[in-house]
Amino acid sequence: MAPSAASVRPVDVSGPPTPTPATEPPASTWVRESNLHWYHRWVIRVLQAGPIPRHVAFIMDGNRRYARKANIAKAEGHSAGFEKLSETLQWCLEVGITEVTVYAFSIENFKRTQEEVDTLMNLARDKFQRLLAERDKLHERGICIRIIGNWDLLEPDIRRSIAEAVLLTRHNRKAILNVAFAYTSRDEITHSIRTVAQAVGDGQLEPDDVSEELLTRCLYTKYSAEPDLLVRTSGEVRLSDFLLWQSATTVMYFTETLWPEFTIWHLLGAVFSYQRVRWRMVDVRKALDHYTDEGVASACGKRNERVGRFLEYVEREEEHHLVRLVRGMGIK
């Protein structure tokens, strides 16, 4: 079944300029303090009279073009992109968005020049170490960090850092940040199919146990709801192999703005556009849920028990793998 989605071009949301702090913070941070003024909060309260997307995904595109535009090095452009990410995460919390998924690094990005790949990996090392250093702030605000992607493609020290971050924050529930790193949707779907196929081959599952729901629960994103809204910057109007399985009823919002130049007004404009077209997706979502629910209802008790045991096994194995990575025992 082909995905259906509402695609929205940006609404011209005028308003006072986004505040710029007089001085930059002394060091990069994942957890920022608010920089909003009263008029931003007033607009947010107006928007909150309508439905607010619970889960928003971002394709953060335009860092390199921003670097060319600003006549700075690519590395500085990527650093500016991270600063914008941390700022946007704070805005999302203030708007009432409780889950955010960001496309940080595609598997396709490994095809860039070795110099740029090394720069991005070094930036990732620094930012994930910073994440661990801010563990107290993450716990204080109840932020759960999940890193989704093919970790086997990453260097051992990066794998260890992200495994530690995931384990440290896995019980936090107030807000969720999913970082898609070394990720493509095709790789994610392949991983899910391989996981299920291996279970069938090992006798944990029967061939008739395989279903859309089971494949969904074996994806990297199995703990997350489907995104309500997807925002892509820089003027590109495509998904670039990001959350293809999960975006059947996602409202999509495209803006010409480069990611480092993204402002609170762009976010509020995206939320407003979501509110305008959300109703179109409601019937589609109900139809899909009805189809899935019928399949679940028809499943026999033994099949449900078998699938339940398998999913518990997968969850245990993943947690044990994280622990081994942190201890350095699961690193080849």
Side-chain angles (χ1 to χ4, degrees), residues 121-139:
M121 289 298 110
N122 288 332
L123 181 64
R125 285 186 177 89
D126 176 64
K127 300 313 177 187
F128 287 132
Q129 285 299 316
R130 168 58 56 181
L131 184 66
L132 294 173
E134 296 186 296
R135 65 186 70 188
D136 291 341
K137 289 183 180 180
L138 294 171
H139 290 316

Side-chain angles (χ1 to χ4, degrees), residues 3-59:
S4 65
S7 176
V8 183
R9 276 291 181 177
V11 175
D12 181 14
V13 182
S14 59
T18 301
T20 302
T23 57
E24 289 295 319
S28 296
T29 177
W30 286 82
V31 184
R32 285 178 177 259
E33 300 300 324
S34 175
N35 65 349
L36 300 184
H37 292 310
W38 66 266
Y39 42 82
H40 299 117
R41 300 184 192 283
W42 182 84
V43 174
I44 289 172
R45 283 197 295 272
V46 171
L47 285 176
Q48 287 174 339
I52 296 295
R54 291 170 298 173
H55 182 186
V56 177
F58 291 93
I59 300 179

Side-chain angles (χ1 to χ4, degrees), residues 33-105:
E33 300 300 324
S34 175
N35 65 349
L36 300 184
H37 292 310
W38 66 266
Y39 42 82
H40 299 117
R41 300 184 192 283
W42 182 84
V43 174
I44 289 172
R45 283 197 295 272
V46 171
L47 285 176
Q48 287 174 339
I52 296 295
R54 291 170 298 173
H55 182 186
V56 177
F58 291 93
I59 300 179
M60 307 178 294
D61 196 14
N63 291 342
R64 293 191 295 175
R65 273 172 279 178
Y66 172 79
R68 288 195 296 269
K69 178 180 176 181
N71 197 27
I72 58 177
K74 288 181 183 178
E76 294 180 66
H78 290 303
S79 294
F82 171 78
E83 297 302 328
K84 184 55 61 180
L85 168 59
S86 63
E87 190 174 25
T88 302
L89 294 175
Q90 178 58 33
W91 295 337
C92 286
L93 287 173
E94 297 189 68
V95 170
I97 297 163
T98 55
E99 183 166 7
V100 171
T101 300
V102 296
Y103 204 1
F105 188 85

Side-chain angles (χ1 to χ4, degrees), residues 49-323:
I52 296 295
R54 291 170 298 173
H55 182 186
V56 177
F58 291 93
I59 300 179
M60 307 178 294
D61 196 14
N63 291 342
R64 293 191 295 175
R65 273 172 279 178
Y66 172 79
R68 288 195 296 269
K69 178 180 176 181
N71 197 27
I72 58 177
K74 288 181 183 178
E76 294 180 66
H78 290 303
S79 294
F82 171 78
E83 297 302 328
K84 184 55 61 180
L85 168 59
S86 63
E87 190 174 25
T88 302
L89 294 175
Q90 178 58 33
W91 295 337
C92 286
L93 287 173
E94 297 189 68
V95 170
I97 297 163
T98 55
E99 183 166 7
V100 171
T101 300
V102 296
Y103 204 1
F105 188 85
S106 167
I107 292 174
E108 295 298 311
N109 291 154
F110 282 112
K111 296 178 182 178
R112 295 182 180 180
T113 65
Q114 191 60 48
E115 179 183 4
E116 185 172 1
V117 171
D118 289 343
T119 296
L120 289 167
M121 289 298 110
N122 288 332
L123 181 64
R125 285 186 177 89
D126 176 64
K127 300 313 177 187
F128 287 132
Q129 285 299 316
R130 168 58 56 181
L131 184 66
L132 294 173
E134 296 186 296
R135 65 186 70 188
D136 291 341
K137 289 183 180 180
L138 294 171
H139 290 316
E140 179 184 339
R141 301 199 185 186
I143 299 173
C144 173
I145 303 294
R146 298 171 183 156
I147 314 297
I148 59 175
N150 190 339
W151 292 19
D152 290 339
L153 301 177
L154 302 174
E155 293 296 323
D157 61 318
I158 296 179
R159 277 185 273 161
R160 184 183 292 113
S161 294
I162 62 180
E164 187 174 355
V166 170
L167 283 174
L168 279 172
T169 64
R170 69 189 186 279
H171 297 306
N172 294 341
R173 288 294 180 267
K174 291 183 181 177
I176 298 168
L177 171 61
N178 305 303
V179 181
F181 198 79
Y183 172 93
T184 63
S185 194
R186 287 174 295 177
D187 176 78
E188 178 182 34
I189 294 169
T190 301
H191 164 80
S192 177
I193 293 171
R194 282 176 176 166
T195 301
V196 173
Q198 182 175 344
V200 172
D202 293 343
Q204 290 179 286
L205 295 173
E206 297 294 331
D208 288 344
D209 295 338
V210 181
S211 65
E212 177 185 337
E213 182 193 13
L214 179 58
L215 290 173
T216 298
R217 295 180 69 179
C218 291
L219 295 170
Y220 297 142
T221 57
K222 56 184 167 291
Y223 300 116
S224 297
E226 294 181 354
D228 301 298
L229 171 65
L230 186 148
V231 177
R232 178 163 188 159
T233 57
S234 86
E236 297 291 340
V237 186
R238 52 194 171 89
L239 293 181
S240 297
D241 213 352
F242 180 55
L243 300 182
L244 301 181
W245 182 280
Q246 300 88 341
S247 300
T249 58
T250 299
V251 174
M252 298 182 187
Y253 179 89
F254 303 98
T255 174
E256 300 283 342
T257 306
L258 302 178
W259 174 247
E261 297 175 330
F262 192 77
T263 71
I264 181 63
W265 298 112
H266 295 108
L267 177 62
L268 298 180
V271 172
F272 179 60
S273 292
Y274 164 80
Q275 293 177 339
R276 290 173 58 208
V277 302
R278 170 182 170 273
W279 63 272
R280 300 179 192 172
M281 296 291 100
V282 172
D283 289 341
V284 177
R285 182 73 270 165
K286 287 180 179 178
L288 291 174
D289 288 343
H290 178 71
Y291 172 79
T292 303
D293 290 344
E294 282 187 343
V296 172
S298 65
C300 68
K302 288 185 177 180
R303 174 186 171 187
N304 288 337
E305 290 179 10
R306 203 162 44 239
V307 170
R309 286 196 301 269
F310 166 67
L311 293 174
E312 289 174 0
Y313 166 79
V314 169
E315 188 171 341
R316 285 196 307 271
E317 285 299 301
E318 287 182 353
E319 184 165 343
H320 291 162
H321 182 59
L322 289 173
V323 172

